[in-house]
Amino acid sequence: MSYIIAAISNAGGAPEQAYRKMQSAAACPERPYAEMFKFEVPSLTVGTLDTLMNLSDEMGKTDGLVEQIVRKIEKTGADLSERSKVDLSVGGVPATRYIQQFAWDSAKYPSRRPLKELVSLITGGAVAIEEELKQLVHSYGDKQAALQEAKRKKSGNLLVADLNDALTEEIMRKVKVIDSEYLKTVFIAVPKAMQENFESGLDKLGKDLVGYGGPDWSRDSTKLGEPVSFGSHVDRHKVRGSPVVPGSLQMVHKDEDSILYSVTILKGQYEAGYYENDAFQQGSKIDFETEFAQACKEKRFVVRDFTYDPTQASKSAMQLEQLRVEVDGMKSALMRWCKNHYGDGYVAWMHIKVIRVFVESVLRYGLPVDFTAVLYKANKGKEIELVTALDKQLGNASDAAAADGDDDAEEYHDFVMMKFEP
């Protein structure tokens, strides 16, 4: 469905004559290409020629901007209702009826204000609606993402699921968990297809992390404790290895896609302090947990950040339900917002079109303001015939044909015409 707003000069005659001429052009039994409706354009403030010229250049972009805002509201409503089109109204009536019965809203947009101010007022209101829509859609999207993440953790495999949901108290009773100053039990999720690689290569995971070197007292134990046998004089990293404690591997749980293991590792290693000249250099502790997790990641094993809490499963279920309630509430609120503000955006869009018709008509037909505008609703499949008939009956068809023959020229008509989809 498409609409055309057309305006022609009254040429000093009565507006009814112009109206009948436009009716006979394309909305009569001989040329049944469209339905025609009166399109009242109020007596707006003309201003200066420079103002009209500048507005003429800008109004096309402004029209497109406000239409884009209307379409965004339409799309948001359709996405929320999960239908290709949603019923949105303008002032309680369908948009098509509002267009066909259009009347200028003088209370909202005083027609005697300067045109530039009027355009700014209308555009500013539409842009404010767009900004509010962006914020609401962003908040709703964030909440939806949180819900999807919670669902993923609830129903995913052991690589991503919340382990407090996946592991029962009975399973955890069989697992020996250590968390001391130097040792810690970590949980590693492994894809089932990589089970053999993991189990056979466990002792090599992070094989360069831990320094197992020290003073060599095997040949001369009498040097035990001498200054040259500690601190910076000892290469702790001469011999390196994995932080995994031998024999600590235990299978905890498995599902269709993955297996969860527990492994005890060295948490870290202390590098001894030493004297440099007369100044003592403090020792430091090297952390292995982060680097071990990275070494696992490189092999496509996932170290899960997990501390068992038997109450967490019920908490997670409550949080998931709470997220569902919040998402449903935000969805309903956003849908109400779209229904409430769609009309505001549409009204702004149509008033911009009226100003465009006024500006283009004054520039084309001159002063005093003396033109008549109508609205055509094209019959199905008759859009091309409608435009052709209007060009022939209201304008100079040969000029229009010449312009159409030039691929680089904009579409030209001898009268003011604007096409749009409602």
Side-chain angles (χ1 to χ4, degrees):
M1 182 193 305
S2 62
Y3 284 89
I4 290 178
I5 302 171
I8 63 171
S9 173
N10 293 330
E16 290 76 13
Q17 291 178 335
Y19 182 83
R20 285 195 295 272
K21 180 179 180 180
M22 288 194 281
Q23 188 173 38
S24 64
C28 62
E30 293 80 14
R31 287 177 283 275
Y33 305 128
E35 291 182 69
M36 194 181 86
F37 306 88
K38 288 186 177 180
F39 195 74
E40 297 294 339
V41 179
S43 179
L44 301 174
T45 303
V46 175
T48 66
L49 179 61
D50 284 344
T51 301
L52 291 176
M53 293 292 289
N54 290 334
L55 278 174
S56 177
D57 293 338
E58 296 170 3
M59 289 300 292
K61 295 178 182 177
T62 304
D63 190 337
L65 171 67
V66 180
E67 180 185 4
Q68 190 178 46
I69 294 169
V70 171
R71 301 308 180 202
K72 284 180 181 178
I73 299 174
E74 285 179 348
K75 184 179 185 304
T76 301
D79 290 344
L80 292 171
S81 63
E82 298 178 353
R83 299 201 302 267
S84 59
K85 193 161 186 177
V86 65
D87 294 329
L88 297 172
S89 63
V90 183
V93 300
T96 52
R97 186 184 300 177
Y98 169 76
I99 295 170
Q100 292 161 196
Q101 300 174 349
F102 176 80
W104 184 274
D105 188 345
S106 297
K108 195 170 187 179
Y109 307 121
S111 60
R112 302 315 299 166
R113 292 184 69 169
L115 285 178
K116 194 168 184 179
E117 288 184 20
L118 204 52
V119 171
S120 296
L121 174 65
I122 298 171
T123 308
V127 170
I129 290 173
E130 182 184 32
E131 287 301 318
E132 189 175 351
L133 176 62
K134 283 181 182 177
Q135 293 175 9
L136 290 171
V137 169
H138 182 72
S139 298
Y140 177 64
D142 286 347
K143 191 64 69 175
Q144 268 193 318
L147 176 60
Q148 293 304 318
E149 179 66 15
K151 286 180 177 178
R152 186 177 72 93
K153 288 183 176 181
K154 188 76 174 175
S155 59
N157 58 31
L158 295 169
L159 294 165
V160 296
D162 188 331
L163 295 183
N164 277 304
D165 292 332
L167 303 180
T168 64
E169 197 169 350
E170 181 181 355
I171 293 173
M172 289 305 298
R173 273 200 296 266
K174 300 174 184 177
V175 181
K176 184 177 181 180
V177 179
I178 300 172
D179 191 2
S180 65
E181 185 178 359
Y182 292 105
L183 298 175
K184 181 176 182 178
T185 300
V186 297
F187 293 81
I188 306 175
V190 178
K192 256 189 177 177
M194 305 186 72
Q195 178 181 3
E196 186 178 344
N197 289 344
F198 175 76
E199 292 181 355
S200 62
L202 178 63
D203 58 339
K204 296 181 180 63
L205 273 175
K207 62 182 180 180
D208 296 325
L209 296 181
V210 185
Y212 289 111
D216 184 3
W217 295 317
S218 60
R219 297 182 181 177
D220 188 358
S221 60
T222 60
K223 292 185 179 179
L224 178 63
E226 291 187 6
V228 293
S229 301
F230 63 85
S232 60
H233 299 284
V234 176
D235 184 4
R236 292 288 299 273
H237 298 281
K238 186 175 183 180
V239 179
R240 292 177 177 268
S242 169
V244 174
V245 175
S248 65
L249 178 67
Q250 182 179 357
M251 184 185 293
V252 178
H253 191 50
K254 62 182 177 181
D255 58 25
E256 294 182 358
D257 304 313
S258 53
I259 304 172
L260 185 70
Y261 294 94
S262 67
V263 175
T264 300
I265 65 169
L266 288 171
K267 282 173 115 176
Q269 184 175 48
Y270 182 74
E271 292 286 348
Y274 58 93
Y275 279 96
E276 186 173 316
N277 298 324
D278 293 332
F280 181 73
Q281 306 298 321
Q282 288 286 348
S284 61
K285 188 176 180 180
I286 302 174
D287 175 52
F288 294 145
E289 291 183 57
T290 303
E291 294 187 45
F292 179 73
Q294 182 60 34
C296 289
K297 184 178 179 181
E298 291 172 0
K299 298 289 186 180
R300 294 177 57 199
F301 311 140
V302 181
V303 175
R304 301 300 312 276
D305 184 10
F306 167 63
T307 301
Y308 181 64
D309 181 355
T311 66
Q312 189 61 39
S314 60
K315 290 179 183 176
S316 297
M318 290 175 62
Q319 289 172 354
L320 181 60
E321 185 59 32
Q322 179 64 27
L323 279 171
R324 284 198 180 102
V325 171
E326 290 177 2
V327 167
D328 288 343
M330 292 180 75
K331 181 178 180 180
S332 299
L334 184 53
M335 191 69 208
R336 285 195 303 272
W337 186 96
C338 288
K339 289 181 177 180
N340 291 336
H341 288 79
Y342 176 74
D344 295 334
Y346 214 97
V347 167
W349 185 35
M350 288 308 300
H351 280 71
I352 287 293
K353 286 198 172 296
V354 171
I355 296 175
R356 282 190 74 187
V357 172
F358 181 83
V359 170
E360 295 300 329
S361 297
V362 172
L363 287 174
R364 186 177 291 249
Y365 306 129
L367 294 173
V369 177
D370 186 30
F371 65 89
T372 297
V374 299
L375 176 75
Y376 292 103
K377 177 186 176 184
N379 293 330
K380 188 174 181 180
K382 298 293 183 179
E383 291 86 353
I384 296 175
E385 290 93 330
L386 171 59
V387 174
T388 302
L390 292 177
D391 277 329
K392 184 175 181 181
Q393 300 298 320
L394 304 181
N396 188 323
S398 61
D399 288 349
D404 289 341
D406 184 354
D407 293 338
D408 296 328
E410 292 185 6
E411 187 175 356
Y412 176 80
H413 304 277
D414 278 338
F415 54 95
V416 174
M417 187 177 87
M418 294 176 192
K419 293 185 284 187
F420 67 99
E421 301 291 326

